[in-house]
Amino acid sequence: MDMSQYKALFLSESREYLRSIAEQVVALEQSPAERGAIDALFRGAHSLKGMAASMEYGDVVVVAHSMEDLMARVRDGALPFGAGVADLLLEGVDLIDALLKDVEEERPSSVPTDGYPARLAAYVPPPEKKAKKTDEAPEVSSPAAEPAPAVESAQAAESVPTPSAETERAKESAPELGGTVRVKTELLDHLINLTGELVTNKQRLLSIGRDLASPALNDAVSETSKLLRALHDEVMKVRLMPFEAISDRFQRSVRAVAKKSGKEIHFELTGREIGLDRGVLEQLVDPLNHILRNAVDHGIEDGEERERAGKPARGLVKLSVSRDRDRIHITVRDDGRGMEPQAMIDAAVRKGLITPEEGELLSPRQALMLSCIPGFSTAKEVTDISGRGVGMDAVNAAIAKLGGTLGIESEPGQGTVITLKLPLTIAIIHALLVQCGPIKTAIPVNAVQRTVELSRRQIETVGKRQMFQLDDESIPLLSLNRVLGLPLGRFPDGILPLFVTEAKGRRVGMVVDRLLGQHELFVKRLGRPLDGVTGLAGGATLGDGEIVTILDISELL
Amino acid sequence: MAIKVMIVDDSMFMRKMLRDILTEEGYEITAEASDGEEAVAKYRESLPDLVTLDIVMPNKGGIEALQEIMAYDAAARVVMCSAIGQEALTTAATEAGAKAFILKPFNPELVTRVLREVVQG
């Protein structure tokens, strides 16, 4: 029997099992007696083993079989589910994941699995904890900590739900029962491309319609336009994947950091079912991981400090995803020590990132955003936990690249909330079109806070800088022409058109020659060699065939 | 007339493989189910001539599903399927009325031979 035809299905289903196993493990740590999760873990390992055996992937069989046996001991009450078991199972998940990658790329397996089965077979829980079955999760109890109240563990179970049989069934049987099909992702990308081209062409029809002043044509175009919007929305929906496609990693990294730093953390996740564009989702993993690690490592205080401050010893980190029309909101909330705006300013001044005078002008909101300036978090503060050389500046840049924004709110002593606002799609965007000297260029509207027409009289000069007042904040003015190396604009009537954007955590007014209004653009990659140019996020064709570049303002400044 | 088969397994991969093997042999797959509860419900609906039933499944395991199917239709022809490790359950399955036991991974020749024997009584 030719098994190669089953390989793709094997890989995708095995990964679903791995994901669910990892989730169940983390869920079980929060409530170790959960019968359903224990059974599900056993079944997951068992099914994996059966599938791998059919494909004759011996290494996977061996690892899955050991996991199954370990879970059989837990299921039969011979072994309590504790941190040690969880570690071993997660190690198995990683092993199989690596093996599957080898299978996928058709190379001989590069991961040694020997030793793993023996360690599982020989595993006995650490003796001193034998009696305290439910207290085995690694986060639990510094000696002073009170046992978690029952309500809290009930919440824990709720917030990390085991995928119910209902959803499991829906996932699996849908292909036969609901008349659905599996589609290659390239095909979807192609559909998006075509839809994008249609949007561009519609703009062209619109401008022809205006030139001809034909009501009949305009009617037809406006109808087409509505249909296109609907088509675009539908195609976009097809590309959406639920947030849970990446969320299990977060549970795991929070768990790992908590363990390493000896803190007790309750991690909550809501909105796992919210759909995001596949492209956005992929780019979110690293930034979110970093924010979460920060929250656990720097945000949450250790148990004793928390109790002194009258807080429960167990820290709370909450990741929630929600949708607000065509924006996705992701928040990471912790109930830790929070951030002190003045301390941020002092640190930035000390590091020579801003002058004391500049520091005085900052609002509390701006002060918190200083953490996103490159160089703010120095190597010295990078621990091996939240380190890896990525600072908040990299996080901020990654979010900006996705067309999103990052906001920080913090109450000293109460905790910190980091909010990411992201577009649902990154293929078709709304952009502000501006004229700078001889060129037209576009800025994604999510990078534009507002546009202003400023009279020269409103400009103040502070030191060498030109500033203006907006919402009680002093905002520096820059010329986009100058940034782009173009001749500066003249403003004979004394009115300067500008848009307000955020760069390095601070608001800036960017003066342009003319604001040309908002357009719907289909973003295309520029390709080599142009995609290496700093500050260029892509290109797009306007309805009249004119090509414009799309700027990445935060990268330019 | 083709023999009507219902395939029950929680893994889509396994169902697809079995479906291909059986279709090749001229069986008609009239129903599939991914857990025990669904299996019992679909048995009543589709009344297949033959059932392949996985043992380890969510939402009601194979043995329990077998008992319910046999209670509903004492003439049901059910073949149990499972991977290594569940042999201990063969006795329970036979007692509950299973006609045969197939070990995963599926060997096409073995599967078709066992099913033929079950059909021919």
Side-chain angles (χ1 to χ4, degrees):
Chain A
M1 191 171 191
D2 172 23
M3 294 305 292
S4 61
Q5 54 176 324
Y6 301 110
K7 190 170 141 185
L9 181 57
F10 167 77
L11 285 172
S12 70
E13 197 173 11
S14 298
R15 284 176 177 146
E16 266 173 41
Y17 276 114
L18 284 183
R19 194 161 61 222
S20 132
I21 289 174
E23 265 182 33
Q24 311 275 14
V25 169
V26 179
L28 268 173
E29 286 210 292
Q30 309 252 359
S31 44
E34 186 63 47
R35 192 75 231 170
I38 292 174
D39 288 341
L41 261 179
F42 171 80
R43 281 198 308 269
H46 178 80
S47 298
L48 261 174
K49 180 189 70 175
M51 288 160 56
S54 306
M55 296 298 293
E56 299 180 2
Y57 296 142
D59 289 342
V60 180
V61 176
V62 168
V63 176
H65 189 104
S66 320
M67 293 165 72
E68 181 190 350
D69 283 349
L70 187 73
M71 278 318 291
R73 286 164 68 196
V74 174
R75 189 192 55 183
D76 302 339
L79 185 69
F81 189 95
V85 174
D87 284 342
L88 286 170
L89 290 173
L90 291 177
E91 189 186 337
V93 167
D94 288 343
L95 268 175
I96 295 181
D97 194 46
L99 290 168
L100 292 181
K101 260 182 210 123
D102 291 335
V103 164
E104 185 169 33
E105 284 164 26
E106 294 181 346
R107 60 184 182 217
S109 87
S110 56
V111 210
T113 51
D114 46 328
Y116 181 74
R119 272 191 290 134
L120 263 66
Y123 178 76
V124 281
E128 72 270 24
K129 294 204 171 174
K130 223 175 226 164
K132 306 198 308 172
K133 201 170 164 183
T134 47
D135 277 1
E136 280 235 335
E139 296 87 354
V140 174
S141 67
S142 60
E146 285 168 31
V151 188
E152 226 176 288
S153 41
Q155 279 169 350
E158 229 172 309
S159 65
V160 194
T162 55
S164 65
E166 199 67 31
T167 55
E168 248 178 74
R169 188 166 50 200
K171 247 194 276 174
E172 286 204 4
S173 328
E176 290 88 18
L177 306 178
T180 49
V181 287
R182 289 194 168 201
V183 179
K184 278 216 157 67
T185 46
E186 300 97 87
L187 184 61
L188 292 182
D189 290 346
H190 194 55
L191 273 177
I192 300 272
N193 253 313
L194 284 174
T195 312
E197 297 292 353
L198 279 172
V199 169
T200 306
N201 214 45
K202 173 203 79 185
Q203 299 281 10
R204 192 162 138 214
L205 285 173
L206 269 178
S207 61
I208 297 175
R210 269 195 299 271
D211 290 350
L212 292 181
S214 146
L217 178 60
N218 285 339
D219 271 3
V221 173
S222 96
E223 190 58 31
T224 304
S225 174
K226 270 185 224 148
L227 293 171
L228 269 177
R229 175 46 53 193
L231 176 66
H232 173 231
D233 288 350
E234 293 302 312
V235 174
M236 269 352 277
K237 266 187 230 154
V238 177
R239 262 177 69 100
L240 297 183
M241 281 174 76
F243 185 73
E244 68 182 349
I246 58 170
S247 62
D248 64 321
R249 303 167 212 224
F250 302 137
Q251 292 182 333
R252 291 188 59 183
S253 67
V254 166
R255 176 185 181 277
V257 178
K259 201 172 169 187
K260 220 165 190 174
S261 54
K263 288 174 188 168
E264 199 188 331
I265 305 286
H266 174 51
F267 179 60
E268 262 183 53
L269 169 61
T270 57
R272 57 173 65 218
E273 72 289 349
I274 303 284
L276 277 88
D277 186 271
R278 208 163 47 83
V280 176
L281 214 49
E282 279 164 11
Q283 303 297 315
L284 269 179
V285 174
D286 288 344
L288 272 179
N289 242 330
H290 186 81
I291 295 173
L292 286 167
R293 281 161 177 271
N294 264 347
V296 178
D297 195 22
H298 301 311
I300 301 285
E301 318 87 328
D302 61 39
E304 283 170 32
E305 189 181 337
R306 289 180 63 85
E307 292 197 322
R308 274 201 302 277
K311 297 185 195 176
R314 189 203 280 219
L316 177 70
V317 175
K318 209 167 158 182
L319 171 61
S320 35
V321 185
S322 60
R323 182 165 164 187
D324 178 19
R325 274 162 307 185
D326 60 347
R327 308 283 287 171
I328 298 288
H329 291 198
I330 301 181
T331 60
V332 176
R333 181 185 296 271
D334 70 60
D335 67 347
R337 57 172 69 92
M339 288 152 80
E340 188 84 57
Q342 193 53 47
M344 303 293 289
I345 294 174
D346 295 344
V349 170
R350 210 166 46 239
K351 287 167 187 165
L353 297 167
I354 54 171
T355 64
E357 295 73 40
E358 283 174 320
E360 271 167 34
L361 294 172
L362 295 180
S363 66
R365 196 189 65 85
Q366 289 174 314
L368 294 181
M369 290 304 288
L370 284 170
S371 59
C372 294
I373 297 183
F376 186 83
S377 55
T378 61
K380 249 184 280 169
E381 286 156 34
V382 175
T383 68
D384 67 329
I385 294 170
S386 45
R388 303 204 172 171
V390 204
M392 277 302 282
D393 58 320
V395 170
N396 195 32
I399 298 304
K401 207 159 225 154
L402 289 172
T405 57
L406 182 152
I408 305 177
E409 287 163 70
S410 189
E411 192 70 46
Q414 303 297 308
T416 302
V417 184
I418 296 191
T419 306
L420 310 180
K421 294 182 180 172
L422 295 154
L424 205 50
T425 147
I426 42 179
I428 296 178
I429 62 162
H430 286 271
L432 173 69
L433 212 58
V434 299
Q435 184 85 43
C436 288
I439 69 163
K440 262 184 205 167
T441 187
I443 295 99
V445 289
N446 43 52
V448 176
Q449 294 187 344
R450 58 187 291 180
T451 56
V452 178
E453 299 204 304
L454 194 67
S455 150
R456 271 193 204 286
R457 279 174 292 131
Q458 294 169 270
I459 301 176
E460 310 154 12
T461 306
V462 181
K464 275 188 203 164
R465 283 204 157 158
Q466 300 204 298
M467 316 276 280
F468 74 105
Q469 290 289 328
L470 187 68
D471 313 330
D472 299 328
E473 261 183 44
S474 241
I475 297 180
L477 281 175
L478 284 174
S479 156
L480 185 57
N481 297 45
R482 186 193 292 275
V483 172
L484 296 173
L486 297 166
L488 293 187
R490 294 159 193 265
F491 307 97
D493 50 2
I495 302 289
L496 282 68
L498 63 92
F499 63 90
V500 179
T501 185
E502 202 164 75
K504 296 176 192 160
R506 308 179 56 179
R507 295 212 276 179
V508 185
M510 300 295 296
V511 179
V512 298
D513 291 357
R514 240 164 6 116
L515 299 166
L516 301 171
Q518 193 176 321
H519 281 245
E520 203 178 19
L521 299 178
F522 175 52
V523 184
K524 291 203 152 177
R525 286 196 47 204
L526 291 169
R528 287 185 175 201
L530 288 177
D531 56 3
V533 178
T534 310
L536 285 191
T541 317
L542 297 183
D544 59 6
E546 189 175 351
I547 292 172
V548 294
T549 51
I550 298 163
L551 297 181
D552 179 344
I553 292 288
S554 61
E555 200 175 286
L556 268 181
L557 295 177
Chain B
M1 262 264 297
I3 294 165
K4 293 185 289 176
V5 184
M6 171 164 87
I7 297 176
V8 185
D9 199 309
D10 61 334
S11 155
M12 197 200 306
F13 168 86
M14 286 295 179
R15 292 201 304 272
K16 170 105 171 61
M17 240 186 101
L18 207 48
R19 182 169 59 209
D20 291 352
I21 295 173
L22 298 185
T23 312
E24 178 84 358
E25 285 296 315
Y27 292 92
E28 186 190 351
I29 313 304
T30 51
E32 287 187 19
S34 61
D35 64 46
E37 213 163 279
E38 199 187 354
V40 176
K42 288 220 173 142
Y43 187 89
R44 291 162 187 246
E45 271 169 35
S46 63
L47 287 176
D49 302 317
L50 201 60
V51 180
T52 70
L53 187 54
D54 184 23
I55 292 186
V56 180
M57 289 186 298
N59 228 8
K60 196 175 282 180
I63 299 289
E64 213 180 319
L66 170 68
Q67 288 163 343
E68 288 186 24
I69 289 175
M70 295 311 294
Y72 175 76
D73 177 5
R77 286 185 284 197
V78 181
V79 176
M80 305 306 286
C81 305
S82 196
I84 299 173
Q86 301 301 311
E87 295 88 343
L89 293 171
T90 37
T91 329
T94 319
E95 273 169 15
K99 298 286 182 286
F101 196 93
I102 302 177
L103 201 61
K104 293 181 199 174
F106 296 123
N107 167 332
E109 291 82 49
L110 187 70
V111 170
T112 47
R113 200 183 71 222
V114 170
L115 292 194
R116 202 176 307 127
E117 282 168 13
V118 169
V119 170
Q120 291 164 353

